[in-house]
């Protein structure tokens, strides 16, 4: 579990996130690995929708709603990687983050805000790396992900 940065009025200013390293086999059969990363400056936006079936009934205005279940959480992680050295890019951290973004698997994530919502794994759906003039030593990024709850499938033998 990580700590969040707080402002003078105890309002969240930024959060810290940790993504666990791992490996996977890509579609070409090659083994790909990536290292864990800790990012000290992120802002999270979490949204969740519910899965509801709406059925129109003849002779009635509106629809009948049937609650099915809670949907996945949509998680947006916006942050900065910084070298801490003026005019020097955080090259190793950037390469590591790019490898994580390209990972073809679920990622284990730790953050106090996400922990409160029961989010411990995500799958990155898209990401962006916008450049900003005058910030060579800072690398800005935004990750769009969905929560993932792993399930274990068991193969039952024919009896």
């Amino acid at each position: 579990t990580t700590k969040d940065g707080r402002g003078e009025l105890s309002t969240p200013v930024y959060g810290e996130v940790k993504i666990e390293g791992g490996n996977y086999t890509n579609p070409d059969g090659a083994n790909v690995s990536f290292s864990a990363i800790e990012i000290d400056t992120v802002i999270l936006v979490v949204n969740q929708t519910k899965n509801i079936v709406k059925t129109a009934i003849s002779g009635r205005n509106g629809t009948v709603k049937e609650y099915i279940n809670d949907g996945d959480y949509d998680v947006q992680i916006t942050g900065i990687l910084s070298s801490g050295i003026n005019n020097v890019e955080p090259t190793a951290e950037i390469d590591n983050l790019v490898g994580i973004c390209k990972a073809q698997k679920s990622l284990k994530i730790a953050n106090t805000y996400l922990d409160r919502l029961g989010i411990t794994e995500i799958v990155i759906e898209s990401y962006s790396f916008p450049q900003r003039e005058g910030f060579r030593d800072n690398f800005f990024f935004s990750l769009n992900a969905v929560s993932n709850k792993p399930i274990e499938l068991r193969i039952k033998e024919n009896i």
Side-chain angles (χ1 to χ4, degrees):
T1 307
T2 61
K3 294 185 177 180
D4 287 333
R6 301 279 173 183
E8 291 178 11
L9 301 175
S10 293
T11 55
V13 176
Y14 62 88
E16 178 182 277
V17 74
K18 294 179 183 178
I19 300 175
E20 198 173 287
N23 58 42
Y24 61 96
T25 303
N26 71 13
D28 296 329
N31 189 30
V32 180
S33 62
F34 54 94
S35 299
I37 192 168
E38 291 185 31
I39 306 167
D40 295 333
T41 314
V42 298
I43 295 291
L44 298 161
V45 176
V46 179
N47 292 303
Q48 183 183 38
T49 56
K50 295 180 179 225
N51 294 316
I52 298 173
V53 174
K54 298 177 184 178
T55 306
I57 304 291
S58 181
R60 178 178 175 198
N61 291 333
T63 58
V64 174
K65 286 85 175 169
E66 179 185 4
Y67 171 82
I68 304 299
N69 59 20
D70 289 339
D72 293 330
Y73 286 100
D74 292 319
V75 180
Q76 182 183 36
I77 304 169
T78 304
I80 304 168
L81 296 176
S82 179
S83 68
I85 303 169
N86 192 27
N87 208 28
V88 175
E89 289 182 311
T91 308
E93 293 85 355
I94 293 169
D95 292 344
N96 191 22
L97 181 62
V98 170
I100 287 170
C101 289
K102 291 185 176 190
Q104 299 172 2
K105 66 175 287 178
S106 180
L107 304 167
K108 292 186 181 193
I109 189 166
N111 169 274
T112 54
Y113 184 70
L114 296 178
D115 288 346
R116 283 186 210 115
L117 299 169
I119 301 170
T120 58
E121 287 195 22
I122 60 170
V123 174
I124 296 175
E125 293 187 312
S126 65
Y127 49 92
S128 64
F129 305 131
Q131 285 188 319
R132 294 197 184 158
E133 185 177 350
F135 287 96
R136 185 176 175 141
D137 51 330
N138 291 321
F139 182 79
F140 299 88
F141 66 89
S142 182
L143 312 178
N144 295 305
V146 292
S147 62
N148 187 46
K149 292 223 185 241
I151 59 171
E152 192 173 309
L153 300 177
R154 295 183 184 171
I155 300 173
K156 198 172 189 179
E157 293 184 32
N158 292 336
I159 297 176

